[in-house]
Amino acid sequence: MTEIPEHLLKRSRDRKAGGASSDAGAAAVPATTEPAAPVARAAAEIPAQKPVSKPDAPHVAAAKSRGRIPYWAMGTLALMPIFLFMYVRGLQPQKAEASGPIAIGIEQYGACASCHGADGGGGAGRVLKDGESQKTFPHIEDMLNWVYNGTEAYEAAGVASYGDPNREGGAHYPRSYNGSAMPAQGSMAGGALTEYEILGLVCHIRYDISGADETGEWAEEYEKWCSEESAIFLGLEDGSVTFESLPGVGTAPRLGTSADQEIAAG
Ligand code: HEC
């Protein structure tokens, strides 16, 4: 065992006593290698709670003068999570089209796909793709009327066929496909779709599924009925236009027109 010299023990005792009494001061003063006694004395001379009379170290002063978040910035900062959310949303790819008849049609096509196939290839319902829709309906008006009404309304009204009576391959008459009926789609005829949704579906079927060329043969029809700027579509959407008010459409089942016939002006 080594003997600890008496002067060292005393210094240790002094230091403990001094350290204990200067705790408050020591907290404010950076750790130091100086003996505790002078610190204790300094703390005793300086009035308690006022260690600030000792100038701050430059980095402490800088931190204090840097100031808190200004109150006017609080609102902006509070919105940060929303900005972040919008930013992340913005990075995601946009849907092909946000509005217009075709976009509505794409959205609604699920109501038809179960019978007509996701690609219009047919099933319980007739084939809609590969130009079939334009063959049956050279005029979009007749297609709107058919989808609105469906098979039973045509039968009930005693209309012999729908679409072009001179259709290549023969006219399509009610239940001529597999004996089953096409359900009415128009909300006033017992279906679930509004008139602008029906126009959207018919546009989607003609131009996407059935492949009509909106820059060629069908450009005029496309502009008038199916483009995003279509006044008819916008009118149906805001209620200023109805099928009833559109020449050649209407809501009562009626015989369709062939390609060389004109739709009678309203
Ligand atoms: C329950 C099955 C069923 C559903 C759902 C259905 N259809 Fe049909 N669709 C048929 C049948 C069956 C026919 C043939 C009707 C007939 O022969 O009387 C048909 C015929 C058609 C035709 C005529 C095609 C042609 O060239 O003759 C069009 C256009 C059409 N459907 C559009 C639609 C649209 C648009 C929807 C969705 C809003 C839809 N159908 C939903 C069963 C269905």
Side-chain angles (χ1 to χ4, degrees):
M1 283 254 302
T2 359
E3 279 272 290
I4 299 166
E6 180 55 29
H7 71 280
L8 287 182
L9 286 171
K10 180 175 183 302
R11 205 152 88 188
S12 164
R13 272 197 302 275
D14 286 350
R15 194 173 289 161
K16 270 185 193 153
S21 69
S22 66
D23 262 357
V29 177
T32 171
T33 50
E34 278 175 41
V39 176
R41 228 181 300 120
E45 284 160 13
I46 299 164
Q49 315 296 336
K50 291 204 67 187
V52 282
S53 59
K54 187 184 177 201
D56 288 322
H59 66 279
V60 176
K64 282 182 179 170
S65 66
R66 204 176 289 132
R68 313 246 139 77
I69 299 164
Y71 68 90
W72 51 262
M74 298 283 187
T76 315
L77 284 172
L79 293 175
M80 281 301 279
I82 297 173
F83 293 153
L84 195 70
F85 175 76
M86 287 164 64
Y87 175 74
V88 171
R89 279 278 303 264
L91 293 179
Q92 261 129 56
Q94 297 291 303
K95 279 192 186 163
E97 266 173 304
S99 61
I102 304 258
I104 299 283
I106 292 170
E107 239 173 69
Q108 299 292 331
Y109 187 70
C112 324
S114 53
C115 290
H116 290 282
D119 67 344
R126 275 189 182 273
V127 174
L128 301 176
K129 66 176 184 179
D130 298 335
E132 286 296 304
S133 296
Q134 297 94 279
K135 276 184 200 156
T136 309
F137 306 101
H139 296 287
I140 190 172
E141 290 90 337
D142 295 329
M143 186 165 171
L144 294 168
N145 184 291
W146 166 257
V147 173
Y148 185 95
N149 284 294
T151 303
E152 285 173 11
Y154 271 67
E155 287 174 326
V159 179
S161 67
Y162 62 85
D164 184 354
N166 304 318
R167 189 196 195 281
E168 178 191 320
H172 286 180
Y173 51 91
R175 294 188 203 265
S176 62
Y177 172 58
N178 57 4
S180 28
M182 154 88 182
Q185 301 297 323
S187 52
M188 299 306 282
L193 299 173
T194 62
E195 293 178 355
Y196 76 86
E197 287 169 335
I198 292 176
L199 175 59
L201 277 164
V202 164
C203 288
H204 172 52
I205 291 168
R206 288 172 84 81
Y207 291 94
D208 296 336
I209 293 177
S210 198
D213 177 5
E214 76 253 31
T215 60
E217 191 190 344
W218 299 94
E220 203 179 312
E221 175 191 285
Y222 180 83
E223 272 312 302
K224 184 175 171 191
W225 298 85
C226 298
S227 67
E228 279 186 51
E229 303 79 39
S230 160
I232 291 174
F233 173 76
L234 296 173
L236 289 172
E237 212 177 18
D238 69 22
S240 60
V241 172
T242 63
F243 276 15
E244 213 43 80
S245 71
L246 287 168
V249 183
T251 52
R254 49 171 191 71
L255 217 54
T257 43
S258 354
D260 52 10
Q261 278 178 287
E262 292 283 320
I263 292 281

